[in-house]
Amino acid sequence: MKVGLVLCPEFQPICFGAVAAFDIANKQAGRKLYDVRILSEQGGLIAASSGMQVMTDAFDTSAYDTLLVAAGLEIPTSSPGLIRLLRAAARDTRRVAAICLGSFVLGDAGLLNGRRATTHWRYAQALRDRFPSCRVDMDKIFIADGPIWTSAGMTAGTDLVVGMIERDHGAEVARSVAKGMVMYHRRSGGQSQHSTLLDLSPQEDRVQAALNHARRNLADELTIEDLAGVACLSPRQFSRLFRTETGTTPAKAVEALRVEAARLMLEQSRLPIEVIAREVGFANRERMRLSFLRVLGEVPRAIRSEAGPVAAL
């Protein structure tokens, strides 16, 4: 399978860690599953954000199985030529992917229209604003929507490539690659290594006050009336303002805060799961399990197992 890594000016060198997974797959298989080429719009030397220079081939309309776009630490400027090349390539390429802020290049080429995508959490709102027809999910490590793949932060590009390898050659090969790279086969959760409060990031002080109150009092019932009272609004006014400010409902925000708190306790303590459920406001472990599945896509016991011996019972 011919793979092209398309480098934007000022790209982040960590993108090579992602494509290294293809090399590991070749080594594990004992044959060349993937043929990786390093590309740029014009070819020749291209400078990374760190100042290092990398020799590239010119990106043309040659047939590729997979194209990955790598950008830098800021939203990239997509040249008209690169957009034309991506649009043309997308018609004949099995999948097109972006690592981190490379998603903006795919959006400029029209490849995110009507699709789900992700990017670094700090720039998720900018992606939503710039491409309103794209359904941005900021708490996924990577998303594969048909032939379009996008990843979150830079290291999430490696998760994305391992996901591609699993799609191409099965779970056993992907697990072998992940083990060889000393990484999880499937990282639990999403970009939740950043704070849920930072994720919601309301500008309105009354909404922020209600969220702070909720985080300090997770063991309480935290009804809409309670939170509206902290914000000095009626429940109806509060619900409307909260959704405008955060893009979600108060109930979902409280659930996310509880899951975040419970996850930390699972990873960093030896408390029984039943006790953790009560401490963060879930009525019982079953309700916590269902919330974990909704928010993180994993059950509490799996997260505790992945945390290692520190959290072992």
Side-chain angles (χ1 to χ4, degrees):
M1 298 178 182
K2 192 175 177 182
V3 176
L5 175 65
V6 184
L7 302 180
C8 296
E10 297 292 303
F11 70 93
Q12 263 284 294
I14 199 171
C15 66
F16 292 116
V19 295
F22 290 125
D23 289 337
I24 301 298
N26 291 343
K27 179 177 174 61
Q28 301 282 26
R31 58 192 177 92
K32 200 159 191 176
L33 301 175
Y34 299 98
D35 177 16
V36 180
R37 308 288 177 86
I38 309 301
L39 311 172
S40 65
E41 183 180 353
Q42 302 297 334
L45 288 172
I46 181 167
S49 59
S50 61
M52 66 177 285
Q53 293 188 317
V54 175
M55 182 60 71
T56 64
D57 294 327
F59 179 23
D60 55 25
T61 54
S62 300
Y64 284 89
D65 175 82
T66 301
L67 286 174
L68 298 98
V69 178
L73 296 174
E74 303 292 339
I75 296 174
T77 299
S78 305
S79 69
L82 180 57
I83 290 173
R84 284 196 302 272
L85 286 166
L86 278 174
R87 286 174 176 168
R91 290 193 292 267
D92 302 314
T93 302
R94 181 165 65 101
R95 60 192 171 202
V96 180
I99 298 172
C100 196
L101 299 184
S103 55
F104 284 86
V105 180
L106 299 194
D108 287 339
L111 303 184
L112 300 185
N113 294 340
R115 296 191 181 276
R116 292 174 62 241
T118 191
T119 192
H120 190 283
W121 60 267
R122 193 183 297 277
Y123 294 89
Q125 189 58 53
L127 191 69
R128 287 192 187 103
D129 295 341
R130 188 154 157 179
F131 309 109
S133 69
C134 174
R135 302 188 299 281
V136 179
D137 189 338
M138 67 184 295
D139 198 37
K140 291 289 185 292
I141 293 295
F142 69 87
I143 289 175
D145 187 339
I148 306 300
W149 295 54
T150 50
S151 82
M154 291 290 178
T155 60
T158 308
D159 296 88
L160 177 145
V161 171
V162 172
M164 288 180 171
I165 293 168
E166 179 170 4
R167 182 73 61 87
D168 296 339
H169 301 288
E172 285 303 315
V173 173
R175 270 193 289 271
S176 177
V177 170
K179 184 176 180 181
M181 299 185 75
V182 195
M183 61 178 284
Y184 285 124
H185 175 205
R186 293 191 182 90
R187 230 193 300 182
S188 63
Q191 300 186 66
S192 296
Q193 48 268 44
H194 70 273
S195 167
T196 296
L197 285 181
L198 187 59
D199 185 347
L200 296 168
S201 61
Q203 301 300 309
E204 171 61 54
D205 289 344
R206 290 173 293 182
V207 174
Q208 186 66 60
L211 284 168
N212 289 336
H213 172 81
R215 189 170 66 168
R216 290 192 300 267
N217 300 277
L218 290 175
D220 296 346
E221 188 175 355
L222 295 176
T223 65
I224 187 71
E225 288 78 15
D226 295 332
L227 298 177
V230 173
C232 300
L233 294 168
S234 72
R236 186 172 182 178
Q237 288 174 319
F238 176 72
S239 293
R240 186 183 305 118
L241 179 63
F242 193 96
R243 184 179 279 278
T244 299
E245 286 286 308
T246 68
T248 190
T249 66
K252 287 183 178 179
V254 169
E255 180 182 48
L257 287 170
R258 283 177 168 146
V259 167
E260 179 181 65
R263 179 176 181 171
L264 286 173
M265 295 174 75
L266 285 165
E267 292 174 338
Q268 299 175 10
S269 80
R270 298 178 183 274
L271 290 173
I273 291 176
E274 294 85 349
V275 173
I276 293 175
R278 291 197 301 271
E279 287 289 319
V280 300
F282 292 112
N284 52 57
R285 64 183 295 163
E286 177 58 21
R287 287 194 181 180
M288 186 168 84
R289 187 185 72 83
L290 293 173
S291 288
F292 266 62
L293 283 171
R294 278 192 295 270
V295 176
L296 300 179
E298 287 205 69
V299 297
R301 188 168 294 282
I303 288 171
R304 166 150 278 175
S305 297
E306 289 176 357
V310 172
L313 290 176

